[in-house]
Amino acid sequence: MDHAAVWEKCLLIIRQSVDPQSYQTWFAPIRPIALATNELTIQVPHRLFYEFLEEHYIDVLKRALLAALGTAGRLQYRIKPARQEASNFPVGKNVGHQAPTPSNPFVIPGMTRPRVESNLDGKYTFENFIEGDCNSLARNAAKAVSDNPNNTAFNPLVIHGPVGLGKTHLLKAVGNRITEKFPHKSVLYVTTDQFTNQLVTSIGSNTTNELVNWYQNVDVLLVDDIQQLIKRKKTQDVFFNLFNVLRQHNKAIVMTCDRPIIELDIEERLRSRFQWGLTADLSAPALETRMAILASKANANEVLIAPPVMEFICYHIQNNIRQLEGVLNNLVLHSGVNNGKQIDLELARQVLKNFVTEINREVTPEVIQRTVAEYYNLDVEKLASATRRRHVVLARQISMFLVKQFTDESLKAIGRLFGGRDHSTVLYSIKTVRDLIETNDEIKNDLADLERRIRAGQGDGPGEL
């Protein structure tokens, strides 16, 4: 067998051992590159990726390698070379770190097809967009549009979701992929506010028709934040006509919105057209996906962050990927100001105070276990036992949830505290408790009471609150 066949055999074992999201996040990006005797070499995106595999999935990899190569099998890692900088994108596409307002968006006299500047930022690509269950539909649909922009069923494609989950990243990735694959096509990225401002200017100078004519020269129109159309009657009218013309000529339209189209308070005729194609949502990524995103951004900035520190950061930053980047930038800044201070848990805790209202307290896992055991009238030893009795399992899951909330312990370390359970069991327990908080008022009240006891130091010994 060659290296590809060996790795494919490994993947058969791995798929049976991990959940689908973990597989997509941590194994799908790996590429086999060489096989020498019994040594398989695989390429991983960055060093932190390798460290996470070694910490969390070493046993899975060993089993897979044993099945594929036998007891003599060995595995070597190779780090993927850094991707070329955005400056290598085609010249003349107005690529830069700041997306300027489209300049002179009017017909140039004597030109039948005026040149369109894309206003794209070349750093946003599909390659550096981390895929997970939370965004796979949107990413795959966006990629499908970029591979065949003028013959796609997803027209328009609307990507919606809360702030900071990657809508603009995907929108610009579409544009960058198209300009790379189809350099003859004119691509334009514009925000709804920019479009409105251009319209206001054209109304003042009696050149609205010229503005619309100019936009009709675009082959692919990328519009950010279309929720800004709300209460802008004239902008809606002009955009409605432009939308119809572009779609009739098989021009691709991709838009982002902070809410589902059905919730947009705009004209019904416009809302119905936005629903012609496909709407794909982005939701908050799971912990492992957030860690992969942070690791990718850290690697791109050549920043070293140990997996436990990443896990600590990502546990607290849950719903906004943009905040993860902000935390990373602050960590780099603080590290530089302090003469290259190592990015450790202490520094992460200090930086996170600027991003979240509450971070882990100085409480030991033992205090939490004792508090929960007393609260549910159990012996502490029961929490680490193998029993599956329902009330013990619930107390164990709540204990794991609180240890993660109040301490710096990693998932693997928490598993060891509760009878040697693996990190996936801990992750499942945390998710279960989060779901119960949303659906079960009794559990929600229990958690609130336990948190008060822990903060007040009530877990230090027996007694009434």
Side-chain angles (χ1 to χ4, degrees), residues 377-424:
N377 296 315
L378 297 171
D379 294 331
V380 174
E381 293 75 16
K382 286 285 187 183
L383 299 178
S385 69
T387 181
R388 300 297 300 167
R389 297 184 67 179
R390 186 175 179 181
H391 70 289
V392 177
V393 171
L394 176 61
R396 183 186 301 128
Q397 291 174 330
I398 288 175
S399 298
M400 291 179 178
F401 175 85
L402 291 171
V403 170
K404 187 61 185 173
Q405 179 175 335
F406 280 94
T407 77
D408 302 336
E409 300 290 346
S410 67
L411 297 175
K412 189 173 182 179
I414 294 174
R416 287 196 297 265
L417 291 168
F418 289 86
R421 289 169 168 83
D422 61 34
H423 83 286
S424 61

Side-chain angles (χ1 to χ4, degrees), residues 199-216:
L199 179 59
V200 171
T201 300
S202 70
I203 292 173
S205 57
N206 294 317
T207 55
T208 302
N209 288 337
E210 286 86 347
L211 174 66
V212 174
N213 289 337
W214 184 86
Y215 265 91
Q216 290 174 8

Side-chain angles (χ1 to χ4, degrees), residues 7 53 75 130 141 176 190 198 220 233 259 261 308 322 334 374 393-394 406 410 423 433 436 456:
W7 180 239
L53 289 174
L75 187 66
I130 303 298
N176 284 323
V190 65
Q198 292 166 14
V220 181
K233 179 67 170 59
R259 68 203 76 175
I261 295 299
R322 199 171 295 151
H334 281 73
E374 290 174 359
V393 171
L394 176 61
F406 280 94
S410 67
H423 83 286
V433 175
L436 287 172

